[in-house]
Amino acid sequence: MFRLQSSKVLAVDMTGDAVKAKNGSMVAYDGEMAFKKLTGGGEGIRGMVTRRLTGEQMTLMEVKGHGTCFFADRASEINLITLQGDKLYVESSNLLATDGGLRTGTTFTGLRGASQGNGLFTTTVEGHGQVAVMSDGPAVVLRVSPQYPLSVDPGAYVAHQGNLRQSFQSGVTFRTLIGEGGGEAFQIRFEGDGLVYVQPSERNTIAGDV
């Protein structure tokens, strides 16, 4: 159902089914479509309350109909991820679209959310289907294994999936190591077995100069 029209445009072919997408991300469609705004980034009261408490604004819309819808957002690169009953954790600002049957929600992430100014929660997508995730530049997929944990700059983190544990490290930062000073006050450390998606360009973070 999901396919890339180009690296920056997502095409979704629909035959009466639905897709959830970032509000305002549709750039064109053919056929007959109906649109409905969804309140909150997660499903149910918990998702709505969580978003309100953290000040996050991730408004989704539901598109349903027959034809092809095209989605894009600020010329971001689009990466397709297929879920087979597993859960994807993704920054709300990086989520473009999901299959209508996938469940979206929120989960507590603690310190990393505070360091980025994205609140204390991140978005979860779970079930069987496809997800379109945006990145600033083509995303790189890095494997984490029990023998090789991974540390990631918070501004470059996009998403992760698998059996991974997150922890937060403070102290020496990435940019301090190369003599530029400043930089993120924290690193995200992943341990276990899974995949981490990072982008080659950093988003601005509140903790950037801590």
Side-chain angles (χ1 to χ4, degrees):
M1 189 166 98
F2 284 20
R3 57 185 171 85
L4 294 180
Q5 186 74 13
S6 73
S7 66
K8 299 179 180 181
V9 178
L10 171 70
V12 182
D13 300 313
M14 288 184 280
T15 56
D17 40 1
V19 62
K20 288 181 284 190
K22 182 176 182 179
N23 196 40
S25 63
M26 187 197 68
V27 294
Y29 72 90
D30 60 38
E32 296 295 328
M33 300 290 169
F35 305 90
K36 181 173 70 173
K37 183 177 180 180
L38 302 177
T39 303
E43 293 175 350
I45 296 299
R46 181 178 180 276
M48 293 167 59
V49 171
T50 297
R51 296 292 168 189
R52 190 164 297 153
L53 286 175
T54 61
E56 290 191 59
Q57 300 296 324
M58 190 191 75
T59 307
L60 295 176
M61 62 179 177
E62 182 183 73
V63 185
K64 189 173 184 179
H66 293 78
T68 302
C69 244
F70 301 90
F71 301 93
D73 186 50
R74 293 171 295 177
S76 298
E77 297 282 337
I78 299 172
N79 313 271
L80 297 183
I81 301 173
T82 300
L83 298 183
Q84 298 178 327
D86 50 333
K87 182 183 291 186
L88 177 73
Y89 299 81
V90 58
E91 287 294 340
S92 59
S93 59
N94 293 90
L95 181 62
L96 178 63
T98 75
D99 277 344
L102 289 172
R103 300 182 299 279
T104 57
T106 54
T107 189
F108 181 74
T109 58
L111 191 58
R112 177 177 58 78
S115 73
Q116 289 191 212
N118 283 348
L120 297 178
F121 294 79
T122 195
T123 299
T124 59
V125 184
E126 187 174 9
H128 291 80
Q130 288 180 293
V131 185
V133 173
M134 298 180 292
S135 57
D136 189 358
V140 178
V141 185
L142 302 175
R143 164 69 67 177
V144 180
S145 67
Q147 297 82 15
Y148 294 98
L150 180 71
S151 294
V152 176
D153 187 318
Y157 169 81
V158 173
H160 74 271
Q161 64 186 128
N163 184 21
L164 293 176
R165 300 180 304 279
Q166 283 181 265
S167 60
F168 305 95
Q169 301 173 319
S170 61
V172 176
T173 67
F174 285 96
R175 283 196 287 270
T176 298
L177 285 173
I178 59 176
E180 294 184 8
E184 278 71 18
F186 306 100
Q187 301 169 13
I188 314 170
R189 182 178 173 88
F190 292 95
E191 297 176 276
D193 187 14
L195 302 174
V196 178
Y197 300 80
V198 298
Q199 60 187 10
S201 176
E202 297 178 73
R203 68 177 71 82
N204 292 326
T205 64
I206 287 181
D209 295 323
V210 173

